[in-house]
Amino acid sequence: MAIISSKKQPNDRDKASASSGELSVMVQSVPAGDTQSAKTTILQAEPEPEERSKLEEKIRPQSLHEYVGQKDLKDVLDIAIRAAKSRNEPLDHLLLYGPPGLGKTTMSLILAQEMGVKCKIASAPALERPRDIMGLLIGLQPGDVLFIDEIHRLAKVAEELLYPAMEDFRVDIPLGKGKSAKIQSLPLPPFTLVGATTRVGALTSPLRDRFGLIQRLRFYEIDELSQIVLRTAALLKMKLTTDGAEEVARRSRGTPRIANRLLKRVRDYAEVKSMRDIDRTIAAEALQLFNVDPCGLDWTDRRLLSFMIERHNGGPVGLETLAASTGEDAQTIEEVYEPYLMQIGYLSRTPRGRIATAAAWKHLGYTPPDNQLALLS
Ligand SMILES: Nc1ncnc2c1ncn2[C@@H]1O[C@H](COP(=O)(O)OP(=O)(O)OP(=O)(O)O)[C@@H](O)[C@H]1O
Ligand SMILES: [Mg+2]
């Protein structure tokens, strides 16, 4: 089981080890020498091994003040933190949802920091046996934040043990088996559960309903990502101009993790080419090398859209067909690629399947057919 205290500045290592299935798929999907795949992975917002380094922890914001963007979320949490502090109570349970890399883990660490308590981190797939979650709950100190990542993947038994813990701060331990089994209830200190998920729809309603606060993280605006990139550049001691930062931001799919990752690639490029001040031109050249286009689309995005346009006249195309013909896993398409393509208005989900919009046709250099708009209605 993966637990780290906030004092140690936890990172996604726990998630990585606990859900190693997923992570290894991502890592192994880049065979040595497969440059095309290697290029595409820098745009996946999944944590990468490199990010487990101290450097990654250094660039993770440590306070609400440093946490850029997500204004609505920060306003809600600011009020909740102040109210809880004034009543000397823990924060209400909080569910954070949104695509990978938008700052869910970071926010839960900041919450613990702001409340002056510890944060214990666990990843749902690692809480397989009842004793895993029981151990975690029993070890809590008053006010602690318990962060459960990928909470939609919690086993049923673990989820059922969480219900009384969340509602009444108590854990029910079954003693014995069969008809003679008894339940022993142990009181727990008041604590805050922070759940994070990329798939809020996959949560059961009893679990979802036990969260007092349910907040969505949204994609970041270019100016917000520019601020993030400039902050990271300063920490990395890079000389980056404002327009250089904007160029990186524009290609980052609205995602801070990708922005920081692209910035590191730009840094490599500038170092190798012995360039000191990194401006728009250098950033664009570097990212072009990694096949990241000016809108942040990578090879896979373009392949998905061109498949829909060339083979299906823009769609509608079913998710499974898209997956089978592009070699991507359906869940990855749904959770990693589609949210951003929908956000920038290049793809639409309809009851009959996915449709590439007129903007996507134009971006890829095709002329949209006249009936394209009719397809969307
Ligand atoms: N609001 C922000 N301001 C500045 N940097 C941020 C912000 N949000 C995230 N980051 C940066 O992006 C990285 C990824 O964030 P984080 O690990 O919190 O994402 P996540 O939503 O938990 O992703 P996943 O769903 O994969 O677990 C962080 O290490 C941090 O450096
Ligand atoms: Mg996370």
Side-chain angles (χ1 to χ4, degrees):
M1 177 169 48
I3 308 174
I4 308 178
S5 117
S6 66
K7 300 276 183 290
K8 286 197 226 151
Q9 322 256 320
N11 56 22
D12 277 305
R13 173 175 33 222
D14 298 70
K15 176 178 169 182
S17 58
S19 57
S20 56
E22 271 190 18
L23 190 76
S24 61
V25 168
M26 192 206 77
V27 173
Q28 286 163 9
S29 71
V30 188
D34 183 348
T35 50
Q36 204 58 73
S37 313
K39 280 173 184 170
T40 65
T41 47
I42 57 168
L43 280 178
Q44 291 211 358
E46 296 297 326
E48 57 182 343
E50 172 197 335
E51 289 190 354
R52 298 178 220 162
S53 65
K54 281 189 180 157
L55 182 67
E56 173 57 20
E57 287 319 309
K58 194 164 115 187
I59 60 183
R60 199 193 278 282
Q62 306 289 322
S63 62
L64 269 189
H65 176 70
E66 283 179 352
Y67 192 93
V68 177
Q70 306 292 351
K71 185 173 178 310
D72 296 348
L73 170 69
K74 283 200 294 190
D75 287 351
V76 166
L77 293 181
D78 187 40
I79 298 282
I81 291 171
R82 286 203 229 176
K85 273 187 171 169
S86 73
R87 289 195 300 263
N88 217 6
E89 283 176 3
L91 267 184
D92 219 342
H93 303 306
L94 165 70
L95 179 66
L96 295 173
Y97 69 96
L102 295 191
K104 299 181 290 296
T105 303
T106 306
M107 182 49 94
S108 69
L109 295 172
I110 289 177
L111 277 185
Q113 188 95 7
E114 298 275 338
M115 291 295 292
V117 295
K118 282 190 182 160
C119 181
K120 289 189 168 182
I121 297 194
S123 182
L127 304 173
E128 232 175 275
R129 298 160 305 176
R131 70 164 187 236
D132 296 329
I133 187 112
M134 279 193 286
L136 200 52
L137 291 168
I138 288 166
L140 289 170
Q141 298 294 315
D144 276 0
V145 168
L146 170 59
F147 176 72
I148 303 187
D149 212 354
E150 299 188 88
I151 196 157
H152 62 277
R153 297 177 63 189
L154 210 53
K156 196 158 178 13
V157 301
E159 184 172 326
E160 282 168 1
L161 279 165
L162 263 189
Y163 296 160
M166 290 174 79
E167 228 161 24
D168 306 320
F169 300 122
R170 126 183 153 239
V171 62
D172 293 337
I173 304 174
L175 299 175
K177 283 189 179 163
K179 283 192 181 159
S180 59
K182 287 190 183 140
I183 299 271
Q184 188 188 354
S185 285
L186 277 186
L188 295 173
F191 70 98
T192 302
L193 177 68
V194 179
T197 179
T198 48
R199 301 181 62 200
V200 72
L203 248 69
T204 64
S205 47
L207 181 59
R208 205 173 43 234
D209 294 347
R210 282 173 170 81
F211 286 96
L213 295 161
I214 301 184
Q215 294 288 312
R216 180 172 78 104
L217 279 87
R218 52 169 190 77
F219 284 114
Y220 291 68
E221 303 292 339
I222 308 269
D223 63 324
E224 296 169 340
L225 288 169
S226 296
Q227 270 186 61
I228 293 175
V229 165
L230 283 169
R231 174 179 172 273
T232 307
L235 290 168
L236 297 178
K237 304 202 177 358
M238 284 170 69
K239 281 194 176 171
L240 180 69
T241 64
T242 321
D243 62 357
E246 202 185 296
E247 191 60 38
V248 175
R250 192 132 34 82
R251 298 178 188 231
S252 303
R253 309 178 76 94
T255 308
R257 179 179 288 135
I258 297 179
N260 286 336
R261 191 175 295 165
L262 293 187
L263 182 67
K264 289 183 201 158
R265 300 294 72 82
V266 170
R267 178 179 64 162
D268 292 349
Y269 180 82
E271 260 172 35
V272 170
K273 300 266 172 185
S274 309
M275 289 156 169
R276 285 214 175 161
D277 293 335
I278 302 171
D279 59 12
R280 181 184 297 270
T281 316
I282 297 170
E285 269 172 30
L287 296 175
Q288 191 58 42
L289 192 70
F290 286 97
N291 216 13
V292 181
D293 84 5
C295 279
L297 301 196
D298 71 3
W299 186 74
T300 310
D301 296 301
R302 289 194 293 271
R303 196 160 55 128
L304 286 171
L305 294 172
S306 350
F307 173 78
M308 293 164 77
I309 293 170
E310 287 169 10
R311 307 283 286 277
H312 293 270
N313 202 27
V317 188
L319 178 62
E320 294 304 330
T321 311
L322 266 183
S325 45
T326 56
E328 284 295 334
D329 156 67
Q331 197 175 329
T332 308
I333 295 182
E334 208 170 14
E335 288 176 27
V336 178
Y337 292 100
E338 285 187 349
Y340 182 68
L341 291 174
M342 290 198 298
Q343 162 83 11
I344 59 171
Y346 282 9
L347 184 135
S348 229
R349 280 185 193 160
T350 73
R352 286 178 297 150
R354 274 63 175 169
I355 289 177
T357 64
W361 283 70
K362 287 184 194 148
H363 182 73
L364 294 180
Y366 298 97
T367 311
D370 294 340
N371 68 345
Q372 222 275 342
L373 286 176
L375 281 172
L376 287 174
S377 56

